[in-house]
């Protein structure tokens, strides 16, 4: 019989007769010394220990099993030689044996040993080691449904620690099987999320860390979160997708988007854990997932959008990434889809047939998309935000400019709804927008269509446009000080921030001022305007005065305010009593503000006197009686005269003494009509044609700087006749009139063409006609004689 090898004797000696006595430490030291002295024997030591452990497991001698694992742990910690790989194979074989056992204690013992092994940095790489079994087994332990809750918790925590160990062992080792492959991530991530979700309900009820015991503090949910953060923190650029995709699938499979809370928590962990430069990859995956769920219920889509909202806020400037407009395009596309679904009431779903839409759920989704658009915009620099504003404006259907919707079942109501939704999105983008150069930030391609909306009959759309304009102009956060209209006796209490108007602002106002004044005036005369409209008009006037005003602008703003007073006075305008009072109040509040901003004492005195007189005799002409919950206005409004009105002549006189342009001040403001009216709220062809004729006839007339009353009356009468003619005349007569104009235009064009196309004089001289008139003789070009200097 062969002698018993020394390494076997050393291994046998570490086991006591009674397993409760534990590992024989003196003999363990001898075994460790032998292994270090003869590293080539390490693989045989491992194999023999593995053989003994398998035998003890089969015989249920669990005390000896624990001793064998302790010995293996100590040998692993002590030995870092090149032969360690063979020893590790025996070690992993024993861990696997324990994990396959039915006893929870053995599973936990095996996991603990594996975790210790995972923390060891090996000196030599391993080409053939596989961890597939451990990923599967630890994931299974994470889902343990053991009857005893305490043991179940221990098994689940062991599974989480085991997965953490696998990740640590393999994530940085290029020779190992790639742990980021979908086959592994599809097991690891759902296992972690399962435990994270399981602890969600109990987390809020747990005691404070100071009161809780160690056992209570270390819950599966907290351990899972730590492990999940570590996993994501190690993810490189190319691995983000594989790590996030299982999260999306888990939330889909367990219907967790609808609750929002857990989904938001998951992605907060993701966004805070990954490297900041990879944030946009997560955003792109969420957007792609939103596209994939375009026919899911509104609550699911709203949940994804809410997660996007939170993720964008965390990621800040890195959230959008290189494809800025694609992000907004996706969000706006889903906004439009939601509008279509809401209008049609249902949509076809591939899996379950036709799905009925709940209107309130679609509205919640739409509001979530709008908030998310604003959240993304807040992460962008000014120049990119200007691009996004232009992009959104290009998506808004405008009659005659941008294409209208052609979706099934949408029609005019669909166009209106998408206009409202996109304007709300635009309002979110412009919130907090600040630029030093208004001219480049707000080009014609943005302002012209925006201002055209201010002429629509829809009161909600007009209010949105005013809110957008106010947000764009307010660059010093003065807007909250003008949220309500009131007569302020001393504006110094407002602590307004007023800067000198820059050259760029002057250029902006020179180009766009008349458009802004015109829209303020026309919005004020809309019968459907209510208190919020007048408040925004007041804010707009006030902000222009502080942000964009030079001397010329101040003069024009005063003219507009006086024109508003004339508008309320006019008997031709069919404004309700409330609107007349509101326009009076708006005019008085603004003149009170601008008079104090100009700091001309005589101007302030005149405005103060008129306001005092109104407070005594006609308080319903001031904002304090008009812009309240129950306006104190009379049933009818008498024509005002004298001291109740702001006098243009008086204001011209007092401001002229301070160097203001008296000629311009004395000229009543009259808004210019443009083609914008034709593109906005005209309802019929008759109104459109009448407007075109009106514009053309106005363009023919040339007025002196100060028009007489007689000329104005004649002009009004002529306009009335033109409008009446086109509204009441038969279609044939209108067509004949337009045809005659077209014929006249064609004859003029023919004359121009005849002049421009006439042959040039011939070098060969002239000929005389039979009537004695000299005519140029036409000679073909190829027969002409050119001087030698002209030919080379």
């Amino acid at each position: 019989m062969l002698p018993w090898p020394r390494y076997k004797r050393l291994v046998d000696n570490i086991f006591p007769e009674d397993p409760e006595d534990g590992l024989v430490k003196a003999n363990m030291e001898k075994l460790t010394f032998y292994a270090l002295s003869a590293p080539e024997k390490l693989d045989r030591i491992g194999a023999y220990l593995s053989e003994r452990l398998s035998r003890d497991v089969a015989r249920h001698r669990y005390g000896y099993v624990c001793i064998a694992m302790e010995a293996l742990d100590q040998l692993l910690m002590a030995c870092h030689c090149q032969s360690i790989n063979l020893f590790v194979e025996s070690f992993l074989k024993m861990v696997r044996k324990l994990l396959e056992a039915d006893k929870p204690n053995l599973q936990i013992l095996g996991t603990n040993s594996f975790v210790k092994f995972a923390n060891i940095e090996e000196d030599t790489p391993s080409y053939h080691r596989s961890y597939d079994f451990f990923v599967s087994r630890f994931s299974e332990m994470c889902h343990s449904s053991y009857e005893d809750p305490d043991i179940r918790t221990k098994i689940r925590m062991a599974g989480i620690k085991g997965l953490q160990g696998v990740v640590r062992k393999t994530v940085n080792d290029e020779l190992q099987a790639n742990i980021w492959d979908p086959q592994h991530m599809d097991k690891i991530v759902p296992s972690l999320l399962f435990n994270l979700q399981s602890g969600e309900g109990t987390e809020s009820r747990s005691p404070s860390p100071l009161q809780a015991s160690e056992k209570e503090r270390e819950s599966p949910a907290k351990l899972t979160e730590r492990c999940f953060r570590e996993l994501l923190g190690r993810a490189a650029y190319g691995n983000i997708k594989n790590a996030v995709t299982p999260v999306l699938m888990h939330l889909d499979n367990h219907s967790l988007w609808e609750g929002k809370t857990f989904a938001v928590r998951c992605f907060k962990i993701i966004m805070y854990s990954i490297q900041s430069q990879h944030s946009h990859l997560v955003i792109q995956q969420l957007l792609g997932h939103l596209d994939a769920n375009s026919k899911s219920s509104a609550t699911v889509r709203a949940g994804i959008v809410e997660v996007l909202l939170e993720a964008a806020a965390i990621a800040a400037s890195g959230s959008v990434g290189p494809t800025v407009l694609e992000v907004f395009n996706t969000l706006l596309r889903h906004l439009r889809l939601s509008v279509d679904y809401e209008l049609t009431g249902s949509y076809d779903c591939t899996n379950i047939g036709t799905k009925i839409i709940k209107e309130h759920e679609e509205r919640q989704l739409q509001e979530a998309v709008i908030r998310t658009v604003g959240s993304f915009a807040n992460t962008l620099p000014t120049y990119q935000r200007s691009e996004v504003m232009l992009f959104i404006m290009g998506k808004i259907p405008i009659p005659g400019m941008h294409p209208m919707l052609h979706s099934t079942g949408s029609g005019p109501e669909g166009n209106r709804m998408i206009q409202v939704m996109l304007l709300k999105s635009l309002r979110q983008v412009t919130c907090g927008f600040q630029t030093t150069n208004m001219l480049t930030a707000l080009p014609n391609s943005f302002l012209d269509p925006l201002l055209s909306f201010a002429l629509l009959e829809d009161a909600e759309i007009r209010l949105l446009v005013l809110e957008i304009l106010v947000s764009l102009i307010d660059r010093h956060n003065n807007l909250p000080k003008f949220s309500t209209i009131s007569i302020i006796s001393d504006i110094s209490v407002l602590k307004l921030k007023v800067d000198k108007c820059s050259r760029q602002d002057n250029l902006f106002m020179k180009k766009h001022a008349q458009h802004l004044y015109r829209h303020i005036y026309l919005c004020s005369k809309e019968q459907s305007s209510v208190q919020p409209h007048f408040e925004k008009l007041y804010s707009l006037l006030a902000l222009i005065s502080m942000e964009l005003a030079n001397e010329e602008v101040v003069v024009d703003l005063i003219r507009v305010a006086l024109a508003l007073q004339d508008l309320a006075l006019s008997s031709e305008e069919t404004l309700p009593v409330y609107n007349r009072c509101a326009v009076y109040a708006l005019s008085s509040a603004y003149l009170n503000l601008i008079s104090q901003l100009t700091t001309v004492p005589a101007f302030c005195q005149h405005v103060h006197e008129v306001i005092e007189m109104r407070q005594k005799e006609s308080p319903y002409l001031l904002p304090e009686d008009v812009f309240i919950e129950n306006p104190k206005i009379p049933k009818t409004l008498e024509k005002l005269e004298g001291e109740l009105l702001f006098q243009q002549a008086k204001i011209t006189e007092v401001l002229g003494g301070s160097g203001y342009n008296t000629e311009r001040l004395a000229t009543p403001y009259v808004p210019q009509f443009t083609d914008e009216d034709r593109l906005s709220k005209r309802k019929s062809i008759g109104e459109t044609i009448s407007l075109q004729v009106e514009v053309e006839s106005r363009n023919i007339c040339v007025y002196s700087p100060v028009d007489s009353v007689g000329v104005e009356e004649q002009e009004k009468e002529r306009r009335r006749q033109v409008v009446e003619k086109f509204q009441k005349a038969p279609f044939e007569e209108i067509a004949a009139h337009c045809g005659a104009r077209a014929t006249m235009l064609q004859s003029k064009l023919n004359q121009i063409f005849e002049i421009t196309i006439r042959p040039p004089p011939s070098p060969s001289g002239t000929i005389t006609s039979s009537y004695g008139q000299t005519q140029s003789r036409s000679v073909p070009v190829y027969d002409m004689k050119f001087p030698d200097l002209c030919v080379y």
Side-chain angles (χ1 to χ4, degrees):
M1 185 176 176
L2 292 173
W4 201 243
R6 186 182 176 192
Y7 73 88
K8 287 188 177 182
R9 292 199 304 273
L10 290 171
V11 168
D12 289 340
N13 290 339
I14 67 172
F15 291 93
E17 291 185 7
D18 185 356
E20 290 185 3
D21 294 339
L23 185 70
V24 180
K25 292 183 180 180
N27 292 338
M28 185 65 216
E29 289 176 2
K30 293 177 183 178
L31 176 63
T32 304
F33 179 77
Y34 177 76
L36 290 170
S37 303
E40 69 278 2
K41 300 289 186 181
L42 194 57
D43 58 325
R44 297 186 185 182
I45 294 172
Y48 184 58
L49 271 170
S50 175
E51 181 186 331
R52 283 205 57 149
L53 184 136
S54 299
R55 188 167 64 242
D56 290 335
V57 168
R59 295 175 180 176
H60 305 291
R61 291 160 45 168
Y62 301 124
Y64 288 125
V65 171
C66 293
I67 292 171
M69 289 310 299
E70 187 179 349
L72 282 167
D73 292 344
Q74 289 191 25
L75 287 172
L76 269 176
M77 298 297 290
C79 302
H80 291 281
C81 60
Q82 292 183 350
S83 305
I84 191 73
N85 278 332
L86 297 175
F87 177 74
V88 167
E89 292 303 318
S90 301
F91 169 78
L92 292 178
K93 183 179 178 183
M94 286 185 276
V95 171
R96 179 169 182 164
K97 189 76 175 176
L98 294 178
L99 292 176
E100 287 175 338
D102 295 332
K103 298 287 184 181
N105 289 340
L106 294 184
Q107 296 173 13
I108 295 169
L109 177 65
T111 303
N112 291 339
S113 288
F114 184 84
V115 171
K116 290 176 186 175
F117 160 70
N119 291 325
I120 297 173
E121 292 187 11
E122 297 181 56
D123 297 333
T124 53
S126 172
Y127 293 86
H128 57 281
R129 197 180 301 161
S130 172
Y131 293 96
D132 291 6
F133 166 80
F134 296 100
V135 171
S136 300
R137 183 60 183 141
F138 289 138
S139 298
E140 187 180 337
M141 289 169 68
C142 288
H143 291 84
S144 172
S145 56
Y146 201 85
E147 293 178 0
D148 188 320
D150 289 335
I151 295 177
R152 181 170 65 235
T153 299
K154 288 179 180 178
I155 295 174
R156 288 185 179 181
M157 288 185 68
I160 297 164
K161 290 176 182 176
L163 289 176
Q164 189 177 30
V166 173
V167 171
R168 286 179 179 175
K169 198 66 182 172
T170 60
V171 74
N172 293 323
D173 191 346
E174 295 179 359
L175 297 174
Q176 298 296 339
N178 193 352
I179 198 68
W180 300 106
D181 285 346
Q183 60 176 347
H184 299 309
M185 284 291 113
D186 288 349
K187 296 174 184 175
I188 293 173
V189 174
S191 302
L192 297 177
L193 295 180
F194 172 77
N195 284 277
L196 195 63
Q197 183 187 356
S198 299
E200 197 172 39
T202 59
E203 192 170 330
S204 60
R205 297 192 297 270
S206 62
S208 68
L210 293 175
Q211 298 172 337
S213 66
E214 183 66 30
K215 177 184 175 182
E216 290 170 321
R217 279 200 300 270
E218 189 68 353
S219 65
K222 289 181 179 178
L223 179 63
T224 300
E225 183 173 337
R226 195 164 66 247
C227 179
F228 194 31
R229 287 183 186 278
E230 182 180 336
L231 172 70
L232 295 164
R234 293 171 180 268
Y237 181 89
N239 302 325
I240 295 291
K241 183 177 179 181
N242 288 347
V244 174
T245 300
V247 179
L248 299 174
M249 299 307 297
H250 182 84
L251 296 173
D252 281 345
N253 296 337
H254 297 274
S255 304
L256 295 172
W257 292 112
E258 298 176 12
K260 299 178 188 176
T261 309
F262 181 70
V264 167
R265 184 185 174 199
C266 284
F267 276 90
K268 277 187 174 181
I269 293 173
I270 292 171
M271 298 305 289
Y272 280 122
S273 301
I274 62 173
Q275 299 173 44
S276 58
Q277 67 268 28
H278 301 157
S279 298
H280 69 277
L281 296 174
V282 180
I283 301 295
Q284 286 174 4
Q285 273 193 270
L286 280 167
L287 289 168
H289 200 65
L290 183 60
D291 283 339
N293 282 273
S294 60
K295 291 196 174 182
S296 297
S297 67
T299 50
V300 169
R301 284 176 283 139
I304 299 173
V305 171
E306 288 284 352
V307 169
L308 272 167
L309 174 66
E310 296 290 340
I314 294 168
S317 58
S319 64
V320 177
T323 55
V324 177
L325 295 182
E326 187 57 37
V327 172
F328 291 92
N329 190 37
T330 301
L331 291 170
L332 296 182
R333 184 170 66 249
H334 284 277
L335 190 61
R336 196 167 226 176
L337 270 175
S338 179
V339 170
D340 281 349
Y341 291 161
E342 182 182 341
L343 289 169
T344 56
S346 63
Y347 59 81
D348 292 331
C349 189
T350 27
N351 296 329
I352 56 175
T354 304
K355 186 172 178 62
I356 305 301
I357 297 298
K358 294 180 181 177
E359 186 176 325
H360 72 279
E361 291 180 352
E362 291 295 340
R363 287 292 171 94
Q364 289 173 357
L365 167 63
Q366 291 157 17
E367 292 301 322
V369 171
I370 290 168
R371 290 197 307 274
T372 305
V373 166
S375 180
F376 274 109
N378 288 335
T379 69
L380 298 176
T382 301
Y383 75 95
Q384 280 190 324
R385 207 190 284 204
S386 296
E387 289 179 8
V388 171
M389 286 157 51
L390 273 169
F391 180 74
I392 296 175
M393 183 57 73
K395 295 283 184 181
I396 305 177
I398 305 175
M401 293 182 72
H402 298 162
M404 306 295 278
L405 287 177
H406 298 293
S407 302
T408 307
S410 58
E413 179 60 19
N415 285 319
R416 183 202 167 274
M417 283 183 66
I418 200 65
Q419 284 172 344
V420 170
M421 293 300 165
L422 291 176
L423 283 171
K424 285 183 176 179
S425 301
L426 193 56
R427 180 183 61 184
Q428 287 289 101
V429 173
T430 57
C431 184
F433 177 78
Q434 292 187 347
T435 177
T436 53
N437 193 339
M438 297 281 284
L439 201 59
T440 54
L442 306 175
N444 283 358
S445 54
F446 175 79
L447 269 183
D448 288 349
L450 177 66
L451 291 175
S452 72
F453 281 112
L455 302 176
L456 292 175
E457 289 182 334
D458 193 302
E460 185 180 5
I461 289 178
R462 288 204 316 277
L463 183 60
L464 285 168
V465 171
L466 290 172
E467 289 173 345
I468 291 167
L469 283 171
V470 164
S471 183
L472 289 170
I473 294 174
D474 180 30
R475 293 176 292 179
H476 293 89
N477 298 319
N478 287 317
L479 179 58
K481 298 160 189 175
F482 300 107
S483 56
T484 57
I485 308 179
S486 60
I487 302 295
I488 304 166
S489 57
D490 182 9
I491 63 168
S492 63
V493 299
L494 296 178
K495 297 181 180 179
L496 300 172
K497 299 175 185 174
V498 184
D499 278 352
K500 186 179 178 181
C501 192
S502 66
R503 180 176 174 273
Q504 290 88 351
D505 290 343
N506 285 333
L507 290 172
F508 176 80
M509 289 306 287
K510 193 170 184 178
K511 188 172 184 180
H512 298 293
Q514 294 305 319
H515 283 88
L516 290 171
Y517 304 151
R518 176 173 172 272
H519 285 82
I520 290 171
Y521 181 87
L522 294 178
C523 281
S524 300
K525 66 185 290 186
E526 287 290 346
Q527 295 188 18
S528 58
S529 292
V530 289
Q531 181 175 336
H533 293 84
F534 292 107
E535 288 174 346
K536 289 303 172 187
L537 286 167
Y538 175 66
S539 299
L540 184 56
L541 284 165
L543 290 170
I544 291 174
S545 307
M546 286 177 292
E547 297 281 356
L548 303 168
N550 52 31
E551 186 178 304
E552 184 180 332
V553 171
V554 169
V555 169
D556 283 342
L557 288 170
I558 294 171
R559 290 173 61 221
V560 171
L562 293 170
L564 291 177
Q565 178 179 262
D566 294 341
L567 170 66
L569 271 171
S570 174
S571 57
E572 291 188 7
E573 299 293 345
T574 57
L575 286 174
V577 174
Y578 173 80
N579 290 60
R580 289 183 185 277
C581 292
V583 173
Y584 276 125
L586 171 63
S587 176
S588 61
Y590 178 67
L591 284 170
N592 173 67
L593 174 68
I594 195 69
S595 65
Q596 295 184 60
L597 287 173
T598 57
T599 64
V600 177
F603 184 21
C604 295
Q605 180 65 24
H606 173 64
V607 172
H608 182 65
E609 288 171 358
V610 174
I611 290 173
E612 272 195 340
M613 187 59 66
R614 288 186 178 185
Q615 286 171 341
K616 290 177 184 176
E617 298 186 11
S618 307
Y620 50 82
L621 303 179
L622 295 173
E624 284 75 13
D625 275 25
V626 179
F627 301 118
I628 54 178
E629 189 173 348
N630 297 309
K632 302 173 184 177
I633 56 175
K635 291 183 179 179
T636 58
L637 200 59
E638 301 294 332
K639 188 162 185 178
L640 305 180
E641 293 179 352
E643 296 178 341
L644 289 173
L645 296 176
F646 300 100
Q647 302 295 330
Q648 186 151 7
K650 177 70 173 174
I651 294 173
T652 302
E653 179 187 343
V654 297
L655 287 178
S658 297
Y660 287 89
N661 187 335
T662 53
E663 185 179 353
R664 193 175 184 88
L665 271 169
T667 308
Y669 173 77
V670 179
Q672 295 289 318
F673 287 90
T674 69
D675 283 349
E676 282 178 294
D677 299 270
R678 175 175 60 80
L679 296 176
S680 56
K681 68 179 181 183
R682 302 296 161 181
K683 295 179 183 176
S684 66
I685 294 176
E687 287 190 48
T688 303
I689 298 175
S690 70
L691 179 67
Q692 291 169 342
V693 174
E694 183 182 337
V695 172
E696 288 170 6
S697 60
R698 286 181 62 85
N699 291 339
I700 294 170
C701 300
V702 179
Y703 296 104
S704 60
V706 183
D707 298 329
S708 65
V709 177
V711 174
E712 285 186 9
E713 292 298 327
Q714 290 175 10
E715 174 67 13
K716 287 181 180 177
E717 177 62 23
R718 188 191 59 74
R719 289 209 308 253
R720 188 189 64 75
Q721 290 175 358
V722 171
V723 171
E724 184 178 355
K725 175 183 176 182
F726 277 88
Q727 285 179 335
K728 297 182 179 179
F731 175 76
E732 291 78 9
E733 185 179 336
I734 296 172
H737 177 80
C738 294
R741 287 169 54 218
T743 305
M744 185 170 65
L745 174 64
Q746 187 61 46
S747 66
K748 294 291 183 186
L749 288 172
N750 289 338
Q751 290 178 24
I752 295 169
F753 292 149
E754 186 179 349
I755 293 169
T756 56
I757 301 174
R758 180 181 298 164
S762 170
S764 61
T766 59
I767 59 173
T768 305
S769 69
S770 57
Y771 298 100
Q773 295 176 335
T774 302
Q775 292 183 346
S776 298
R777 179 164 48 189
S778 180
V779 178
V781 174
Y782 54 82
D783 282 345
M784 288 182 184
K785 304 295 183 183
F786 292 98
D788 292 340
L789 292 175
C790 295
V791 182
Y792 65 94

